[in-house]
Amino acid sequence: MNNKRTEKTTPLRVIAVTSGKGGVGKSTVAANLAVIAARQGRRVLLLDGDLGLANAEILLGVAPRFHLGHVLDGSVSIREALTEGPHGIKILSAGTGVLQLARLGSAQKMRIIGELDTLDDDFDLVIADSAAGIGDNMTFFVGACQETILVVSPEPTSLTDAYAAVKVLSQQGMTGVFHVLVNPAASEAQAREVFGRLPRLTERFLHARLRYLGYLPRDENIHRAVMMQRPLVKCFPLSPSSRSLEQIADKLLGEPAASRLEGGLKILWQRLLRESSTPARSSLASE
């Protein structure tokens, strides 16, 4: 499929995938949505925001030679740091580089922003696979994105941690929509029942906007794809979970973004760099 755009007719869209706790399939969702979007003709950048773990890269079977840390220290350009994945998606590994943001000088920040500005016309969609939990790493990435996919499981602890994640992001001023994806669920009815527990909490105490996005059924093929280090939707395209992911992608990407990202990648990273300069983040980075 032709991945070319003309005259940048499609505004850049930036979506974070996160969860209140680990082990709920967050990286599987991020990696496979990136592949589906690329197959549909979008030019996709998959950003590994889970420092030091690189789960998305492992799931896609790629081994980046460079990561964001190399860009920050001037070893390579931003283009050289991109690794090609399935169906032409580009992957920017975070490595340990983002932890250095709080220590960058003004000249370094301007250099990075200038390089990122050159990529702005190269992508339609950025998917950021953030860290799980409510730590600085998660809020750092998710807070700069337009939209967030919040992956939850039916377990009570997952719902409690998801509420905590929404609370932290809301307190930091995030006003976008949280698209809730339940994984796993035995049926649509169970998934909607799980989702129904969250809005009652968040709307009452946080006034956050949550939207039901869909669910993934229990499917042994997910584990098989992980062990094969290949995208689920590529090696098991007819599996129940692949079909669910296709439906989720159509629902999410078939509608316009909840808010427009003015300025593209350049503005996204200006937000990240600005956040890294706050006293709270600087102190966390120095610990």
Side-chain angles (χ1 to χ4, degrees):
M1 185 175 287
N2 188 354
N3 284 358
K4 298 295 183 182
R5 278 189 309 176
T6 58
E7 301 295 326
K8 195 178 170 86
T9 56
T10 304
L12 182 69
R13 189 167 181 178
V14 183
I15 302 173
V17 183
T18 193
S19 60
K21 62 174 291 185
V24 297
K26 168 185 61 63
S27 295
T28 292
V29 170
N32 282 279
L33 285 181
V35 172
I36 293 170
R39 289 196 316 202
Q40 293 177 348
R42 294 176 177 84
R43 298 188 293 179
V44 183
L45 172 62
L46 178 61
L47 174 61
D48 166 30
D50 201 346
L51 303 185
L53 296 180
N55 288 334
E57 301 161 18
I58 295 172
L59 293 173
L60 296 176
V62 299
R65 182 180 177 188
F66 302 111
H67 54 67
L68 184 58
H70 295 115
V71 179
L72 297 181
D73 66 19
S75 301
V76 299
S77 69
I78 192 73
R79 289 184 184 278
E80 292 173 317
L82 298 179
T83 301
E84 184 162 331
H87 293 279
I89 67 173
K90 300 296 184 181
I91 302 168
L92 178 58
S93 174
T96 57
V98 176
L99 294 179
Q100 302 173 27
L101 288 176
R103 299 191 291 271
L104 292 180
S106 298
Q108 291 172 298
K109 291 182 179 182
M110 290 305 298
R111 172 181 168 275
I112 293 173
I113 290 172
E115 287 211 37
L116 286 162
D117 200 24
T118 68
L119 293 182
D120 195 44
D121 290 335
D122 293 359
F123 299 104
D124 303 303
L125 176 67
V126 176
I127 296 179
D129 179 25
S130 85
I134 58 174
D136 190 60
N137 184 11
M138 183 276 281
T139 57
F140 190 72
F141 278 96
V142 177
C145 297
Q146 294 164 289
E147 301 168 88
T148 301
I149 297 175
L150 181 65
V151 183
V152 303
S153 78
E155 298 176 3
T157 53
S158 175
L159 295 174
T160 301
D161 291 341
Y163 171 77
V166 174
K167 179 179 179 180
V168 169
L169 290 166
S170 298
Q171 289 174 339
Q172 294 195 358
M174 181 174 173
T175 58
V177 175
F178 293 87
H179 302 279
V180 179
L181 188 158
V182 181
N183 177 42
S187 65
E188 177 83 17
Q190 185 196 26
R192 287 190 176 275
E193 189 275 329
V194 170
F195 169 74
R197 301 179 211 166
L198 276 172
R200 289 196 294 269
L201 292 172
T202 57
E203 290 174 3
R204 180 178 177 184
F205 298 109
L206 304 179
H207 306 291
R209 290 184 294 158
L210 272 64
R211 179 192 182 205
Y212 175 73
L213 182 60
Y215 78 100
L216 297 186
R218 295 187 182 278
D219 187 352
E220 181 59 27
N221 291 307
I222 295 178
H223 176 69
R224 292 176 181 147
V226 170
M227 297 304 295
M228 295 168 64
Q229 293 186 244
R230 294 181 61 198
L232 171 71
V233 295
K234 186 173 182 179
C235 55
F236 300 109
L238 300 180
S239 66
S241 49
S242 287
R243 291 179 177 178
S244 290
L245 282 164
E246 295 277 1
Q247 293 172 357
I248 288 166
D250 289 342
K251 180 177 181 179
L252 179 68
L253 302 178
E255 299 177 353
S259 62
R260 186 178 178 86
L261 180 66
E262 301 292 347
L265 279 172
K266 182 176 180 179
I267 297 302
L268 168 67
W269 283 89
Q270 282 179 337
R271 291 178 187 174
L272 291 176
L273 292 167
R274 183 175 64 247
E275 286 296 312
S276 73
S277 300
T278 63
R281 299 202 184 275
S282 296
S283 62
L284 282 168
S286 62
E287 290 179 356

